[in-house]
């Protein structure tokens, strides 16, 4: 008797453990576009369309290699509402009594699947996802006995274990493990951003976009313009363009932001990595070759590799090590509702309008926009972790909880109390002014600390520091900041806090 093998929407890889030892002649692959997965948070329309189109292309590719694929489209009459229901229908129609699954990337879904053998009355085998560079056991072994789980040390061990950007003595290429200090240049007015290769949607992709507009018209975001590749070959073309034409400038300006410039020098491949169209170890090796061949400088190549080999692997390991309790932490007791402008982009704060407007249009923003603009505002304003976590999960095409939650919960809003970051990534308007041109056209004055027209980030920064003094003053990395607070005129701080409270009260 054959076996049913499930392929999820973020498992579109040629090498998926669920398909290992499979028999295309007798086994059946199940793939399903379902309401439950599209709506447990109201995902960006462009994200749903991207995944549906990529799934349809992947199903066709599997069929061309001999597999039988039972594919359910979102527009099917009486289609299944959940992945479990899709599997149940194929089990009932086929009579097969064995289901093999590669473990999903979200704790929510894994918890459901662990009961499927009982609810579906078949043998269910949950296999490890082997498409990452470090296994979950590898990460757990690395974390064991450590008081602090800092990414930098995990990243160095990953460099050594893979041999990427290390010499024969296991020392870092160029003499440094981390070139982050060289990667913080703001964009000069005279510097032009590079032209990008943005694929046009094919017929399969356009049909998926139309289906999403018909079924999820009330979801956040714009379906067009659509520029994601939806096949493995298309994703490879996008990465080749980055390696050949963009990577050399990535290091210098990876933290820079500019008006109406969504792409800058970023790779635009996170959505392909996270759904399985690109392989993380392969992209790191190819970036390394660019350095070895003299086509890209060390700071650019190391910065890119750190994001994939370091951050991406680290946050996945941390997520599975700490869940489910991790999601419930709220170290700073933040409880303010998410402001409506996170969904509309309608705000007088230029930086927020730019980051959110771009997110609405493209389902994309780069890491500094997410961390130091929308994330920084949520931290300073004390927005509820649950609400801001759900927002980040909803609005980005590359967002899955394993990668979104640690980056938001731990890095952006410090809700985990320092599991990830040694201190909150809190910043006033001066940081945004340094790294962007947003402030030049803003209704607020970034140089004004308080009073009418003062930048809200300036008010909220000092309000945040004062409000959380009991929780943060003893943090060794916050000593200088609290020293500066102590030097401020108490009347000024009182006025700043009063103005911050007034601003926050008007948000909703």
């Amino acid at each position: 008797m054959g076996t049913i093998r499930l392929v999820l929407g973020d498992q579109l890889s040629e090498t998926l453990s669920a398909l290992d030892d499979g028999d295309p002649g007798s086994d059946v692959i199940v793939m399903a576009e379902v309401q439950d997965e599209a709506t447990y948070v109201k995902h960006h329309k462009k994200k749903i369309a991207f995944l549906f189109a990529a799934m349809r292309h992947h199903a066709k590719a599997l069929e061309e290699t001999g597999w039988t694929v039972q594919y359910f489209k979102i527009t099917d009459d009486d289609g299944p509402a959940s992945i479990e229901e899709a599997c149940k229908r194929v089990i009932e129609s086929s009579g097969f009594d064995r289901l093999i699954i590669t473990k999903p990337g979200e704790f929510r879904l894994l918890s459901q699947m662990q009961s499927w053998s009982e609810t579906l009355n078949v043998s269910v085998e949950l296999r490890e996802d082997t498409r990452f560079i470090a296994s979950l056991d590898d990460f757990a072994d690395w974390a064991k006995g450590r008081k602090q789980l800092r990414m930098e040390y995990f990243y160095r061990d990953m460099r050594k274990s893979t041999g990427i950007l290390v010499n024969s003595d296991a020392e870092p290429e160029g003499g440094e493990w981390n070139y982050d200090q060289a990667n913080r240049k703001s964009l000069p007015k005279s510097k032009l951003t590079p032209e990008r290769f943005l694929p046009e949607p094919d017929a399969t992709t356009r049909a998926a976009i139309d289906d999403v507009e018909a079924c999820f018209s009330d979801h956040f975001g714009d379906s067009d313009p659509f520029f994601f590749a939806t096949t493995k070959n298309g994703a490879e073309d996008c990465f080749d363009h980055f390696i050949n034409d963009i990577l050399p400038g990535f290091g210098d300006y990876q933290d820079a932001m500019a008006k109406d410039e969504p792409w800058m020098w970023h790779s635009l491949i996170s959505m392909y990595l996270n759904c399985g169209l690109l392989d993380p170890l392969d992209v790191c090796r190819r970036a390394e070759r660019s350095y070895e061949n003299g086509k890209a400088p060390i700071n650019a190549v190391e910065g890119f590799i750190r994001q994939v080999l370091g951050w991406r692997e680290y946050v996945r390991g941390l997520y599975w090590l700490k869940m489910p309790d991790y999601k419930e932490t709220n170290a700073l007791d933040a409880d303010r509702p998410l402001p409506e402008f996170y969904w509309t982009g309608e705000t007088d704060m230029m930086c927020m309008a730019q980051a959110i407007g771009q997110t609405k249009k493209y389902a994309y923003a780069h890491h500094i926009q997410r961390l130091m603009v929308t994330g920084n505002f949520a931290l300073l304003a004390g927005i509820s972790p649950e609400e801001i976590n759900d927002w980040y999960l909803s609005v980005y095409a590359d967002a899955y909880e394993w990668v979104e939650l640690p980056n938001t919960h731990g890095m952006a809003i410090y809700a985990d109390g320092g599991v990830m970051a040694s201190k909150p990534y809190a910043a006033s308007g001066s940081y945004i002014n340094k790294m962007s041109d947003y402030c030049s056209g803003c209704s607020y004055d970034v140089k004004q600390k308080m009073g009418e027209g003062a930048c809200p980030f300036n008010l909220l920064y000092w309000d945040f520091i004062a409000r959380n003094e009991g929780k943060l003053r003893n943090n060794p990395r916050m000593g200088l900041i609290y020293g500066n607070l102590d030097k401020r005129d108490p009347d000024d701080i009182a006025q700043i806090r009063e103005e911050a409270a007034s601003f926050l009260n008007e948000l909703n």
Side-chain angles (χ1 to χ4, degrees):
M1 184 174 289
T3 298
I4 297 170
R5 299 173 185 269
L6 179 64
V7 175
L8 300 174
D10 61 346
Q11 297 180 343
L12 309 181
S13 305
E14 296 173 344
T15 56
L16 186 70
S17 61
L19 303 185
D20 290 347
D21 65 27
D23 181 357
S26 61
D27 296 346
V28 173
I29 291 174
V30 174
M31 299 180 69
E33 304 167 5
V34 296
Q35 283 280 340
D36 279 7
E37 294 306 305
T39 60
Y40 71 92
V41 295
K42 296 179 76 169
H43 294 288
H44 196 297
K45 284 188 282 191
K46 193 176 261 97
K47 176 184 180 179
I48 303 172
F50 163 62
L51 287 176
F52 284 2
M55 289 169 66
R56 295 175 189 185
H57 277 296
H58 190 64
K60 182 179 179 182
L62 289 168
E63 289 174 334
E64 289 173 350
T65 60
W67 287 99
T68 297
V69 180
Q70 178 64 62
Y71 194 97
F72 297 93
K73 286 187 177 181
I74 195 68
T75 53
D76 288 346
D77 292 337
D78 193 31
S82 68
I83 296 170
E84 181 180 9
E85 185 181 344
C87 291
K88 181 179 180 180
R89 292 190 185 187
V90 178
I91 290 167
E92 291 175 346
S93 64
S94 67
F96 293 174
D97 61 0
R98 186 179 182 220
L99 173 62
I100 296 178
I101 305 169
T102 294
K103 289 181 180 179
E106 298 193 352
F107 187 88
R108 164 193 63 85
L109 194 51
L110 179 62
S111 297
Q112 297 173 19
M113 290 176 171
Q114 288 170 336
S115 66
W116 282 8
S117 60
E118 182 176 343
T119 59
L120 297 176
N121 196 31
V122 295
S123 169
V124 176
E125 180 183 349
L126 287 162
R127 294 180 174 177
E128 296 300 322
D129 191 341
T130 57
R131 300 172 301 157
F132 290 83
I133 304 170
S135 71
L136 297 180
D137 285 342
D138 289 339
F139 186 86
D141 288 343
W142 173 82
K144 192 176 297 180
R146 293 177 183 265
K147 293 182 179 180
Q148 296 181 326
L149 304 180
R150 297 290 176 251
M151 190 283 295
E152 179 66 25
Y153 301 110
F154 171 77
Y155 167 59
R156 293 181 186 186
D157 286 347
M158 289 293 287
R159 291 265 295 274
K160 293 174 184 177
S161 67
T162 58
I164 292 176
L165 287 185
V166 295
N167 59 30
S168 57
D169 296 321
E171 294 297 321
E173 286 289 347
E176 301 290 341
W177 289 107
N178 186 316
Y179 289 86
D180 200 34
Q181 291 294 331
N183 295 344
R184 297 175 179 172
K185 295 179 182 178
S186 56
L187 185 65
K189 291 182 180 180
S190 60
K191 185 71 173 179
L192 297 177
T193 58
E195 291 187 14
R196 305 306 298 255
F197 168 65
L198 302 174
E200 291 287 334
D202 60 12
T204 297
T205 302
R206 179 51 60 187
I209 295 169
D210 292 343
D211 289 347
V212 168
E213 281 291 346
C215 297
F216 306 102
S217 60
D218 62 334
H219 279 224
F220 173 80
D222 304 332
S223 295
D224 287 306
F226 194 93
F227 60 90
F228 297 142
T230 55
T231 66
K232 177 175 175 55
N233 287 341
E236 292 286 354
D237 289 342
C238 291
F239 184 63
D240 285 343
H241 167 66
F242 170 70
I243 285 289
N244 296 328
D245 301 331
I246 309 299
L247 177 60
F250 169 72
D252 290 352
Y253 303 110
Q254 67 171 277
D255 285 5
M257 300 174 285
K259 293 176 194 172
D260 303 319
E261 292 284 358
W263 321 127
M264 305 295 281
W265 282 262
H266 291 272
S267 67
L268 310 185
I269 65 163
S270 55
M271 66 288 293
Y272 307 136
L273 285 171
N274 291 353
C275 79
L277 294 179
L278 292 178
D279 176 79
L281 185 58
D282 177 64
V283 302
C284 289
R285 298 281 189 206
R286 286 155 70 181
E288 180 185 39
R289 286 197 293 274
S290 289
Y291 168 69
E292 293 172 343
N293 296 335
K295 295 182 178 179
I298 185 66
N299 68 309
V301 172
E302 187 278 320
F304 171 77
I305 288 174
R306 179 161 19 100
Q307 290 188 355
V308 179
L309 183 65
W311 274 114
R312 185 173 184 270
E313 297 289 324
Y314 168 80
V315 296
R316 176 186 181 245
L318 185 72
Y319 173 83
W320 286 108
L321 184 71
K322 296 293 184 180
M323 283 292 283
D325 295 341
Y326 185 80
K327 190 175 182 178
E328 305 306 317
T329 55
N330 188 358
L332 300 180
D333 298 321
D335 59 3
R336 185 173 300 280
L338 187 74
E340 181 64 20
F341 63 69
Y342 270 82
W343 299 110
T344 66
E346 295 173 3
T347 170
D348 290 336
M349 292 178 284
M350 175 66 74
C351 57
M352 294 290 283
Q354 283 280 318
I356 296 168
Q358 155 185 332
T359 295
K360 181 176 180 290
K361 186 174 182 179
Y362 299 115
Y364 170 82
H366 70 69
H367 66 288
I368 295 300
Q369 292 172 310
R370 299 189 202 192
L371 177 64
M372 299 308 299
V373 180
T374 52
N376 184 30
F377 185 90
L379 170 69
L380 299 181
I383 293 173
S384 157
E386 180 180 5
E387 293 200 29
I388 192 65
N389 285 333
D390 280 353
W391 183 80
Y392 275 100
L393 186 58
S394 301
V395 302
Y396 292 114
D398 57 6
Y400 303 88
E401 193 178 69
W402 66 265
V403 65
E404 174 275 325
L405 184 65
N407 275 307
T408 303
H409 200 74
M411 287 293 290
I413 62 171
Y414 200 72
D416 67 3
V419 174
M420 280 190 70
S422 57
K423 70 178 184 67
Y425 274 78
S428 67
S430 61
Y431 175 86
I432 296 170
N433 190 36
K434 175 185 175 184
M435 298 308 302
S436 77
D437 61 359
Y438 294 157
C439 300
S440 63
C442 187
S443 299
Y444 298 100
D445 185 351
V446 71
K447 296 182 180 179
Q448 192 167 329
K449 307 303 181 186
M450 57 186 178
E452 186 176 354
C455 172
F457 279 84
N458 294 339
L459 299 173
L460 295 178
Y461 175 79
W462 285 110
D463 179 64
F464 169 83
I465 296 301
R467 184 173 76 242
N468 291 287
E469 183 174 3
K471 297 180 176 69
L472 299 176
R473 182 178 277 275
N474 291 331
N475 183 316
R477 295 198 63 199
M478 299 291 287
L480 181 61
I481 293 169
Y482 279 101
N484 289 334
L485 178 68
D486 293 339
K487 296 175 184 177
R488 296 291 298 266
D489 185 326
D491 291 340
D492 285 351
I493 295 298
Q495 181 180 342
I496 286 171
R497 298 206 63 191
E498 182 179 341
E499 292 178 7
S502 177
F503 175 83
L504 292 171
N505 287 337
E506 293 175 3
L507 284 181
N508 294 92

